[in-house]
PDB file of all heavy atoms in Angstrom:
ATOM      1  N   PRO A 236     -26.351  -3.449   2.542  1.00 94.00           N
ATOM      2  CA  PRO A 236     -26.932  -4.226   1.441  1.00 94.00           C
ATOM      3  C   PRO A 236     -26.038  -5.366   0.956  1.00 94.00           C
ATOM      4  O   PRO A 236     -26.526  -6.348   0.395  1.00 94.00           O
ATOM      5  CB  PRO A 236     -27.130  -3.174   0.337  1.00 94.00           C
ATOM      6  CG  PRO A 236     -27.288  -1.891   1.073  1.00 94.00           C
ATOM      7  CD  PRO A 236     -26.378  -2.001   2.269  1.00 94.00           C
ATOM      8  N   SER A 237     -24.731  -5.253   1.144  1.00 94.00           N
ATOM      9  CA  SER A 237     -23.833  -6.299   0.659  1.00 94.00           C
ATOM     10  C   SER A 237     -23.215  -7.117   1.797  1.00 94.00           C
ATOM     11  O   SER A 237     -22.262  -7.868   1.577  1.00 94.00           O
ATOM     12  CB  SER A 237     -22.719  -5.679  -0.189  1.00 94.00           C
ATOM     13  OG  SER A 237     -21.961  -4.787   0.597  1.00 94.00           O
ATOM     14  N   TYR A 238     -23.742  -6.972   3.010  1.00 96.00           N
ATOM     15  CA  TYR A 238     -23.117  -7.670   4.151  1.00 96.00           C
ATOM     16  C   TYR A 238     -24.200  -7.850   5.208  1.00 96.00           C
ATOM     17  O   TYR A 238     -24.502  -6.914   5.963  1.00 96.00           O
ATOM     18  CB  TYR A 238     -21.965  -6.808   4.678  1.00 96.00           C
ATOM     19  CG  TYR A 238     -21.109  -7.422   5.754  1.00 96.00           C
ATOM     20  CD1 TYR A 238     -20.456  -8.641   5.564  1.00 96.00           C
ATOM     21  CD2 TYR A 238     -20.905  -6.752   6.961  1.00 96.00           C
ATOM     22  CE1 TYR A 238     -19.644  -9.169   6.552  1.00 96.00           C
ATOM     23  CE2 TYR A 238     -20.085  -7.271   7.942  1.00 96.00           C
ATOM     24  CZ  TYR A 238     -19.457  -8.484   7.730  1.00 96.00           C
ATOM     25  OH  TYR A 238     -18.637  -9.002   8.701  1.00 96.00           O
ATOM     26  N   GLY A 239     -24.796  -9.032   5.229  1.00 96.00           N
ATOM     27  CA  GLY A 239     -25.929  -9.247   6.130  1.00 96.00           C
ATOM     28  C   GLY A 239     -25.689 -10.394   7.097  1.00 96.00           C
ATOM     29  O   GLY A 239     -24.674 -11.087   7.028  1.00 96.00           O
ATOM     30  N   ARG A 240     -26.656 -10.588   7.973  1.00 95.00           N
ATOM     31  CA  ARG A 240     -26.505 -11.563   9.049  1.00 95.00           C
ATOM     32  C   ARG A 240     -26.338 -12.990   8.540  1.00 95.00           C
ATOM     33  O   ARG A 240     -25.818 -13.849   9.253  1.00 95.00           O
ATOM     34  CB  ARG A 240     -27.716 -11.509   9.977  1.00 95.00           C
ATOM     35  CG  ARG A 240     -27.948 -10.165  10.636  1.00 95.00           C
ATOM     36  CD  ARG A 240     -28.939 -10.287  11.767  1.00 95.00           C
ATOM     37  NE  ARG A 240     -28.391 -11.054  12.877  1.00 95.00           N
ATOM     38  CZ  ARG A 240     -27.623 -10.530  13.839  1.00 95.00           C
ATOM     39  NH1 ARG A 240     -27.338  -9.266  13.830  1.00 95.00           N
ATOM     40  NH2 ARG A 240     -27.154 -11.294  14.800  1.00 95.00           N
ATOM     41  N   THR A 241     -26.808 -13.252   7.318  1.00 96.00           N
ATOM     42  CA  THR A 241     -26.674 -14.621   6.826  1.00 96.00           C
ATOM     43  C   THR A 241     -25.256 -14.919   6.331  1.00 96.00           C
ATOM     44  O   THR A 241     -24.909 -16.076   6.114  1.00 96.00           O
ATOM     45  CB  THR A 241     -27.654 -14.883   5.663  1.00 96.00           C
ATOM     46  OG1 THR A 241     -27.405 -13.916   4.641  1.00 96.00           O
ATOM     47  CG2 THR A 241     -29.095 -14.782   6.127  1.00 96.00           C
ATOM     48  N   ALA A 242     -24.440 -13.880   6.144  1.00 96.00           N
ATOM     49  CA  ALA A 242     -23.061 -14.108   5.694  1.00 96.00           C
ATOM     50  C   ALA A 242     -22.277 -14.822   6.802  1.00 96.00           C
ATOM     51  O   ALA A 242     -22.365 -14.432   7.967  1.00 96.00           O
ATOM     52  CB  ALA A 242     -22.389 -12.787   5.348  1.00 96.00           C
ATOM     53  N   SER A 243     -21.534 -15.831   6.422  1.00 96.00           N
ATOM     54  CA  SER A 243     -20.796 -16.588   7.446  1.00 96.00           C
ATOM     55  C   SER A 243     -19.694 -15.737   8.073  1.00 96.00           C
ATOM     56  O   SER A 243     -19.230 -16.041   9.165  1.00 96.00           O
ATOM     57  CB  SER A 243     -20.208 -17.866   6.852  1.00 96.00           C
ATOM     58  OG  SER A 243     -19.359 -17.549   5.771  1.00 96.00           O
ATOM     59  N   HIS A 244     -19.298 -14.658   7.383  1.00 96.00           N
ATOM     60  CA  HIS A 244     -18.264 -13.782   7.968  1.00 96.00           C
ATOM     61  C   HIS A 244     -18.881 -12.517   8.578  1.00 96.00           C
ATOM     62  O   HIS A 244     -18.224 -11.481   8.673  1.00 96.00           O
ATOM     63  CB  HIS A 244     -17.179 -13.448   6.944  1.00 96.00           C
ATOM     64  CG  HIS A 244     -17.663 -12.655   5.763  1.00 96.00           C
ATOM     65  ND1 HIS A 244     -18.717 -13.042   4.966  1.00 96.00           N
ATOM     66  CD2 HIS A 244     -17.231 -11.489   5.223  1.00 96.00           C
ATOM     67  CE1 HIS A 244     -18.915 -12.164   4.017  1.00 96.00           C
ATOM     68  NE2 HIS A 244     -18.023 -11.200   4.144  1.00 96.00           N
ATOM     69  N   PHE A 245     -20.150 -12.616   8.994  1.00 98.00           N
ATOM     70  CA  PHE A 245     -20.808 -11.510   9.706  1.00 98.00           C
ATOM     71  C   PHE A 245     -20.513 -11.661  11.197  1.00 98.00           C
ATOM     72  O   PHE A 245     -20.551 -12.766  11.739  1.00 98.00           O
ATOM     73  CB  PHE A 245     -22.313 -11.557   9.448  1.00 98.00           C
ATOM     74  CG  PHE A 245     -23.044 -10.323   9.889  1.00 98.00           C
ATOM     75  CD1 PHE A 245     -23.076  -9.199   9.076  1.00 98.00           C
ATOM     76  CD2 PHE A 245     -23.668 -10.277  11.132  1.00 98.00           C
ATOM     77  CE1 PHE A 245     -23.742  -8.054   9.481  1.00 98.00           C
ATOM     78  CE2 PHE A 245     -24.335  -9.131  11.543  1.00 98.00           C
ATOM     79  CZ  PHE A 245     -24.365  -8.016  10.715  1.00 98.00           C
ATOM     80  N   PRO A 246     -20.227 -10.551  11.902  1.00 98.00           N
ATOM     81  CA  PRO A 246     -19.803 -10.681  13.309  1.00 98.00           C
ATOM     82  C   PRO A 246     -20.856 -11.324  14.209  1.00 98.00           C
ATOM     83  O   PRO A 246     -22.047 -11.048  14.091  1.00 98.00           O
ATOM     84  CB  PRO A 246     -19.569  -9.223  13.728  1.00 98.00           C
ATOM     85  CG  PRO A 246     -19.320  -8.479  12.473  1.00 98.00           C
ATOM     86  CD  PRO A 246     -20.147  -9.163  11.425  1.00 98.00           C
ATOM     87  N   ASN A 247     -20.398 -12.169  15.104  1.00 97.00           N
ATOM     88  CA  ASN A 247     -21.269 -12.727  16.136  1.00 97.00           C
ATOM     89  C   ASN A 247     -21.709 -11.607  17.088  1.00 97.00           C
ATOM     90  O   ASN A 247     -20.978 -10.624  17.289  1.00 97.00           O
ATOM     91  CB  ASN A 247     -20.528 -13.803  16.935  1.00 97.00           C
ATOM     92  CG  ASN A 247     -20.214 -15.022  16.078  1.00 97.00           C
ATOM     93  OD1 ASN A 247     -20.966 -15.367  15.172  1.00 97.00           O
ATOM     94  ND2 ASN A 247     -19.089 -15.663  16.366  1.00 97.00           N
ATOM     95  N   ASP A 248     -22.895 -11.786  17.684  1.00 95.00           N
ATOM     96  CA  ASP A 248     -23.456 -10.722  18.530  1.00 95.00           C
ATOM     97  C   ASP A 248     -22.558 -10.391  19.722  1.00 95.00           C
ATOM     98  O   ASP A 248     -22.497  -9.237  20.154  1.00 95.00           O
ATOM     99  CB  ASP A 248     -24.854 -11.133  19.029  1.00 95.00           C
ATOM    100  CG  ASP A 248     -25.884 -11.086  17.908  1.00 95.00           C
ATOM    101  OD1 ASP A 248     -25.662 -10.317  16.942  1.00 95.00           O
ATOM    102  OD2 ASP A 248     -26.880 -11.811  17.989  1.00 95.00           O
ATOM    103  N   ASP A 249     -21.865 -11.391  20.252  1.00 94.00           N
ATOM    104  CA  ASP A 249     -21.070 -11.136  21.463  1.00 94.00           C
ATOM    105  C   ASP A 249     -19.626 -10.732  21.145  1.00 94.00           C
ATOM    106  O   ASP A 249     -18.797 -10.624  22.042  1.00 94.00           O
ATOM    107  CB  ASP A 249     -21.073 -12.376  22.370  1.00 94.00           C
ATOM    108  CG  ASP A 249     -20.399 -13.572  21.716  1.00 94.00           C
ATOM    109  OD1 ASP A 249     -20.062 -13.488  20.503  1.00 94.00           O
ATOM    110  OD2 ASP A 249     -20.196 -14.587  22.404  1.00 94.00           O
ATOM    111  N   ALA A 250     -19.324 -10.490  19.869  1.00 95.00           N
ATOM    112  CA  ALA A 250     -17.933 -10.218  19.503  1.00 95.00           C
ATOM    113  C   ALA A 250     -17.581  -8.733  19.550  1.00 95.00           C
ATOM    114  O   ALA A 250     -16.412  -8.358  19.410  1.00 95.00           O
ATOM    115  CB  ALA A 250     -17.629 -10.778  18.108  1.00 95.00           C
ATOM    116  N   GLY A 251     -18.576  -7.864  19.733  1.00 96.00           N
ATOM    117  CA  GLY A 251     -18.288  -6.452  19.961  1.00 96.00           C
ATOM    118  C   GLY A 251     -17.941  -5.639  18.722  1.00 96.00           C
ATOM    119  O   GLY A 251     -17.133  -4.708  18.794  1.00 96.00           O
ATOM    120  N   TYR A 252     -18.576  -5.961  17.611  1.00 97.00           N
ATOM    121  CA  TYR A 252     -18.288  -5.204  16.385  1.00 97.00           C
ATOM    122  C   TYR A 252     -19.306  -4.092  16.160  1.00 97.00           C
ATOM    123  O   TYR A 252     -20.452  -4.171  16.582  1.00 97.00           O
ATOM    124  CB  TYR A 252     -18.222  -6.146  15.169  1.00 97.00           C
ATOM    125  CG  TYR A 252     -16.884  -6.850  15.129  1.00 97.00           C
ATOM    126  CD1 TYR A 252     -16.650  -7.953  15.942  1.00 97.00           C
ATOM    127  CD2 TYR A 252     -15.844  -6.363  14.354  1.00 97.00           C
ATOM    128  CE1 TYR A 252     -15.409  -8.563  15.965  1.00 97.00           C
ATOM    129  CE2 TYR A 252     -14.602  -6.968  14.371  1.00 97.00           C
ATOM    130  CZ  TYR A 252     -14.387  -8.060  15.174  1.00 97.00           C
ATOM    131  OH  TYR A 252     -13.152  -8.649  15.198  1.00 97.00           O
ATOM    132  N   ARG A 253     -18.868  -3.054  15.496  1.00 98.00           N
ATOM    133  CA  ARG A 253     -19.710  -1.908  15.152  1.00 98.00           C
ATOM    134  C   ARG A 253     -19.451  -1.493  13.713  1.00 98.00           C
ATOM    135  O   ARG A 253     -18.374  -1.751  13.175  1.00 98.00           O
ATOM    136  CB  ARG A 253     -19.373  -0.709  16.054  1.00 98.00           C
ATOM    137  CG  ARG A 253     -19.846  -0.850  17.479  1.00 98.00           C
ATOM    138  CD  ARG A 253     -19.417   0.351  18.308  1.00 98.00           C
ATOM    139  NE  ARG A 253     -19.995   0.313  19.651  1.00 98.00           N
ATOM    140  CZ  ARG A 253     -21.145   0.886  19.970  1.00 98.00           C
ATOM    141  NH1 ARG A 253     -21.838   1.567  19.072  1.00 98.00           N
ATOM    142  NH2 ARG A 253     -21.608   0.806  21.205  1.00 98.00           N
ATOM    143  N   ARG A 254     -20.469  -0.827  13.138  1.00 98.00           N
ATOM    144  CA  ARG A 254     -20.292  -0.227  11.814  1.00 98.00           C
ATOM    145  C   ARG A 254     -20.337   1.290  11.960  1.00 98.00           C
ATOM    146  O   ARG A 254     -21.303   1.853  12.471  1.00 98.00           O
ATOM    147  CB  ARG A 254     -21.408  -0.662  10.855  1.00 98.00           C
ATOM    148  CG  ARG A 254     -21.444   0.151   9.553  1.00 98.00           C
ATOM    149  CD  ARG A 254     -22.625  -0.233   8.691  1.00 98.00           C
ATOM    150  NE  ARG A 254     -22.399  -1.557   8.130  1.00 98.00           N
ATOM    151  CZ  ARG A 254     -21.829  -1.768   6.933  1.00 98.00           C
ATOM    152  NH1 ARG A 254     -21.443  -0.760   6.184  1.00 98.00           N
ATOM    153  NH2 ARG A 254     -21.663  -2.996   6.499  1.00 98.00           N
ATOM    154  N   ALA A 255     -19.275   1.946  11.529  1.00 98.00           N
ATOM    155  CA  ALA A 255     -19.226   3.410  11.548  1.00 98.00           C
ATOM    156  C   ALA A 255     -19.217   3.910  10.109  1.00 98.00           C
ATOM    157  O   ALA A 255     -18.530   3.334   9.250  1.00 98.00           O
ATOM    158  CB  ALA A 255     -17.976   3.880  12.279  1.00 98.00           C
TER     159      ALA A 255
END
Side-chain angles (χ1 to χ4, degrees):
S237 61
Y238 186 57
R240 300 194 68 85
T241 57
S243 58
H244 64 306
F245 192 82
N247 293 328
D248 288 335
D249 64 352
Y252 281 80
R253 288 178 173 268
R254 168 185 289 267

